[in-house]
């Protein structure tokens, strides 16, 4: 792991507490193997953008005796560990955010752990563990129900959606599904 920690340290700009942040990320990644560290652009509420370190991926959450992989992004600012990370739930296309006690409608995570952040007492691994527990009690996302064709909005019945699908060799291709039935009924009446 020292080699991996050194790689993360090199990713971080010198404005970060590089040694400390790289170590905390490595410890967190030992426990949460579906997270990936990366530098990416974060857009603040005032519209400014800054390149920050983020951990992105999924955390395993138990709900109703089943494990669900909840997609998240944890943004680490240069002032970390003095300031708490900025956390979001990042739903996939098939998911929708459940606005509730600890997650806003846009996916912003507002746990008390973040609001009461204490430097030198709290860390990334503990934050992720708190998220796992709280999301198990208050799920932040759900799968969007698929509408039956007769219930789907009219435009969905007439517009085919392209999909990006993998080939056997690992490359991707764009697939446009064929229409099984013509969109019109007898005498050009729609079923909308």
């Amino acid at each position: 792991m020292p080699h991996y920690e050194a790689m993360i340290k090199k990713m971080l700009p010198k404005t970060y507490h590089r040694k400390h942040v790289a170590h905390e990320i490595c410890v967190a990644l030992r426990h949460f193997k579906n997270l990936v560290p990366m530098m990416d652009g974060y857009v603040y509420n005032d519209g400014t953008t800054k390149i920050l370190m983020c951990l992105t991926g999924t955390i395993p959450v138990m709900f109703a005796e089943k494990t669900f992989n909840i997609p998240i992004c944890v943004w680490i600012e240069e002032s970390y560990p003095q300031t708490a990370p900025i956390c979001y739930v990042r739903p996939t296309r098939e998911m929708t955010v459940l606005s509730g006690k600890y997650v806003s409608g846009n996916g912003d995570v507002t746990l008390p752990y973040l609001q009461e952040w204490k430097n030198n007492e709290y860390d990334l691994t503990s934050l992720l563990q708190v998220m796992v527990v709280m999301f198990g009690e208050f799920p932040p996302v759900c799968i969007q129900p698929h509408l039956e064709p007769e219930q789907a909005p009219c435009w969905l019945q007439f517009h085919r959606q392209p999909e990006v699908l993998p080939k056997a060799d690992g490359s991707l291709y764009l697939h446009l599904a064929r229409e099984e039935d013509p969109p019109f009924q007898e005498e050009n009446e729609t079923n909308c």
Side-chain angles (χ1 to χ4, degrees), residues 17-177:
H17 302 282
R18 291 166 58 181
K19 184 177 180 181
H20 180 83
V21 173
H23 176 72
E24 276 203 31
I25 289 172
C26 280
V27 171
L29 295 179
R30 276 189 224 129
H31 297 280
F32 297 92
K33 301 193 185 307
N34 291 333
L35 294 177
V36 176
M38 61 188 292
M39 298 299 294
D40 203 0
Y42 178 79
V43 180
Y44 288 91
N45 290 336
D46 65 2
T48 59
T49 301
K50 194 165 193 175
I51 302 299
L52 298 178
M53 171 56 76
C54 70
L55 293 177
T56 187
T58 62
I59 55 174
V61 173
M62 287 289 294
F63 180 73
E65 299 182 20
K66 292 183 182 177
T67 301
F68 296 90
N69 291 315
I70 305 298
I72 63 163
C73 188
V74 177
W75 295 92
I76 303 167
E77 295 182 283
E78 295 166 337
S79 55
Y80 182 85
Q82 284 79 27
T83 58
I86 303 166
C87 303
Y88 284 91
V89 172
R90 301 209 79 190
T92 63
R93 249 182 5 170
E94 300 83 26
M95 297 177 178
T96 186
V97 172
L98 294 175
S99 179
K101 191 170 184 176
Y102 301 118
V103 178
S104 71
N106 70 348
D108 186 20
V109 177
T110 57
L111 293 168
Y113 191 90
L114 291 167
Q115 296 165 347
E116 300 163 4
W117 186 263
K118 294 180 181 147
N119 182 21
N120 296 324
E121 289 183 41
Y122 293 6
D123 59 47
L124 289 174
T125 302
S126 298
L127 167 62
L128 293 165
Q129 290 168 340
V130 168
M131 290 172 77
V132 166
V133 171
M134 298 313 286
F135 292 169
E137 292 179 29
F138 304 95
V141 293
C142 70
I143 299 295
Q144 294 180 10
H146 294 289
L147 299 174
E148 295 297 323
E150 58 272 4
Q151 295 174 329
C154 221
W155 67 272
L156 275 179
Q157 294 182 30
F158 298 105
H159 294 86
R160 295 177 287 170
Q161 297 297 316
E163 295 180 85
V164 177
L165 300 173
K167 288 184 177 179
D169 65 359
S171 63
L172 301 174
Y173 69 97
L174 190 62
H175 172 72
L176 187 59

